[in-house]
Amino acid sequence: MSKHHLHSALRFLFVIAVVTLGALSIYYVSTVTYPFIIAFFIAFMINPFVNYLEQKAKMPRALAVVIVLILLFAILAGLVTLLIAEIVSGTQYLADVVPGHFQKLVMYIEDFFASQIIPIYNDLAVLFKNLDANQQGTIMSNIQSVGTKIATTVGQFIQDVLQNIPKLLGWLPNAATVIIFSLLATFFISKDWYRLSRAVQKVLPHKVRTSGRTVFINLKKALFGFIKAQVTLISITTVIVLIGLLILRVDYAITIALIIGLVDILPYLGTGIVFVPWIIYAAVSGNVPFAIGLGILYIIVLVQRQIMEPKVLSSSIGLDPLATLIALFVGFKLIGFLGLIAGPVLLVIIRTLHSANVFQDIWNFIIGKPTT
């Protein structure tokens, strides 16, 4: 091996080591500094509004930050209040309606057992009595094994739930602490946003500043594009569900459509969390036409989501539709439904680093070519 190739191999190993150590450092540091990471993203999101108040209304930046944070939490509190009011109203409606439906469900189950399960049980009992002792013993041991396994699984589930209750209660003070630190950090980061930016720029080399600015601008554009895409997809789902529920003449159609639209942020699982139990209940309770209508509406929602998601994401983020579709599928196969978010985000990061010539600079460093 020539000296040049040896140096290239050593530089390649150095790059791999730096990337690996950097990723591990970011991971472990983020586990103890996540309130400030949350604060940075909040400050990043509200920065345009703070700039607007500072420049147009001639406010001190600290006052502008306080006003924007107050407005933000007022909007969130208003949405939560409206949601709680709708839930209370819907709960009262369900309290009046559910008992009658539950009684119908119990009667249906009783009829089903009387007409279907009991005759089958009698036939099996006759067959069981006709078997010899060894066969009966084998069947009974298998039944006991299944029963023991079910009892163990249910018991373990109940035990896990009970053991997690103290953890959940212990998490509440930690959540309050995280919220307080995040709010305080958001205020200070947003107030000193440009002073902190200048301080960071002074520390970084010129090449890193240039590439970093390109990466930051593209990621900022992609972030807002991603948020816009998700809002668009949720809005489309909500409108389709609302139209379908109005056609089916469902009470509280607007509330149900809003709830389904919100849970649609969980792809594949979101709408199914509401639709699947609803369809099963409608079918079991004897309202088959309504169950069919809900099933058709659910299929329409699923199909439009799969068709629209790559197109909307590609147009909002600026990615190729095929590349977006591949990123969605690969992300889903690797880490589940969270991969449907992480896949396009990772694709945006890779594309941004490529457009900033970061990969080219790394390759030039490995082969020993001076960067311009």
Side-chain angles (χ1 to χ4, degrees):
M1 180 183 291
S2 65
K3 187 176 181 180
H4 174 73
H5 289 135
L6 178 61
H7 288 171
S8 297
L10 291 176
R11 283 192 290 266
F12 175 75
L13 294 176
F14 175 75
V15 169
I16 296 297
V18 168
V19 172
T20 302
L21 290 176
L24 292 175
S25 300
I26 291 173
Y27 172 76
Y28 285 110
V29 170
S30 64
T31 58
V32 295
T33 61
Y34 61 91
F36 305 98
I37 297 175
I38 295 172
F40 171 79
F41 280 106
I42 296 176
F44 173 73
M45 297 296 293
I46 68 174
N47 194 53
F49 304 101
V50 175
N51 290 339
Y52 179 83
L53 291 179
E54 183 184 19
Q55 297 170 4
K56 300 297 182 179
K58 305 300 181 182
M59 290 184 181
R61 187 168 182 86
L63 179 60
V65 174
V66 171
I67 291 176
V68 171
L69 287 177
I70 291 174
L71 290 175
L72 176 62
F73 281 93
I75 293 172
L76 291 177
L79 292 176
V80 171
T81 302
L82 289 175
L83 180 61
I84 292 175
E86 289 294 335
I87 290 175
V88 170
S89 177
T91 303
Q92 293 175 349
Y93 169 76
L94 291 175
D96 297 332
V97 173
V98 166
H101 287 292
F102 184 74
Q103 186 176 3
K104 292 181 181 178
L105 178 62
V106 171
M107 293 176 62
Y108 176 82
I109 293 174
E110 290 176 352
D111 293 338
F112 178 77
F113 267 87
S115 61
Q116 303 293 332
I117 303 299
I118 292 177
I120 295 175
Y121 171 77
N122 292 331
D123 293 340
L124 291 176
V126 173
L127 292 175
F128 182 78
K129 291 179 180 179
N130 293 330
L131 298 175
D132 57 43
N134 292 332
Q135 291 174 329
Q136 290 180 0
T138 302
I139 293 175
M140 291 302 298
S141 63
N142 289 333
I143 293 175
Q144 291 174 355
S145 175
V146 172
T148 303
K149 186 177 296 185
I150 293 174
T152 303
T153 303
V154 173
Q156 185 64 41
F157 174 76
I158 295 174
Q159 183 180 3
D160 293 339
V161 171
L162 294 176
Q163 288 178 348
N164 287 325
I165 290 176
K167 295 180 181 179
L168 178 61
L169 296 177
W171 176 81
L172 294 177
N174 180 64
T177 304
V178 170
I179 292 173
I180 293 172
F181 273 89
S182 297
L183 287 176
L184 291 174
T186 299
F187 172 77
F188 289 113
I189 292 174
S190 183
K191 182 176 73 70
D192 298 327
W193 180 268
Y194 295 104
R195 183 180 66 82
L196 295 173
S197 299
R198 289 191 296 269
V200 172
Q201 290 177 3
K202 289 180 181 179
V203 176
L204 298 177
H206 174 73
K207 179 63 179 177
V208 176
R209 289 201 308 269
T210 304
S211 300
R213 188 179 298 111
T214 303
V215 171
F216 181 78
I217 292 173
N218 289 340
L219 287 179
K220 179 180 178 181
K221 186 185 300 182
L223 175 62
F224 284 103
F226 183 79
I227 295 174
K228 177 184 175 182
Q230 292 300 321
V231 171
T232 302
L233 291 170
I234 291 173
S235 301
I236 293 173
T237 299
T238 303
V239 171
I240 292 175
V241 172
L242 177 60
I243 294 173
L245 294 180
L246 290 175
I247 293 174
L248 294 173
R249 297 183 179 181
V250 176
D251 294 326
Y252 293 94
I254 296 177
T255 303
I256 297 173
L258 289 174
I259 293 174
I260 293 176
L262 289 176
V263 299
D264 189 47
I265 199 171
L266 303 174
Y268 289 99
L269 297 177
T271 55
I273 293 176
V274 178
F275 272 113
V276 172
W278 198 2
I279 293 170
I280 294 174
Y281 171 76
V284 170
S285 61
N287 197 351
V288 177
F290 181 68
I292 294 174
L294 286 177
I296 294 173
L297 178 59
Y298 180 43
I299 293 173
I300 293 174
V301 170
L302 284 180
V303 170
Q304 71 82 22
R305 178 82 187 201
Q306 302 313 310
I307 294 175
M308 295 297 297
E309 186 168 14
K311 183 177 180 180
V312 173
L313 284 175
S314 62
S315 61
S316 299
I317 303 178
L319 297 175
D320 181 79
L322 179 59
T324 305
L325 187 63
I326 294 173
L328 289 169
F329 181 78
V330 173
F332 176 73
K333 296 297 290 185
L334 290 177
I335 58 175
F337 72 88
L338 290 178
L340 296 170
I341 298 176
V345 170
L346 182 60
L347 183 61
V348 167
I349 293 175
I350 293 174
R351 191 200 64 170
T352 302
L353 294 176
H354 180 266
S355 63
N357 294 322
V358 173
F359 295 130
Q360 184 63 43
D361 292 339
I362 293 175
W363 178 249
N364 290 338
F365 170 76
I366 291 174
I367 65 177
K369 180 180 178 180
T371 58
T372 58

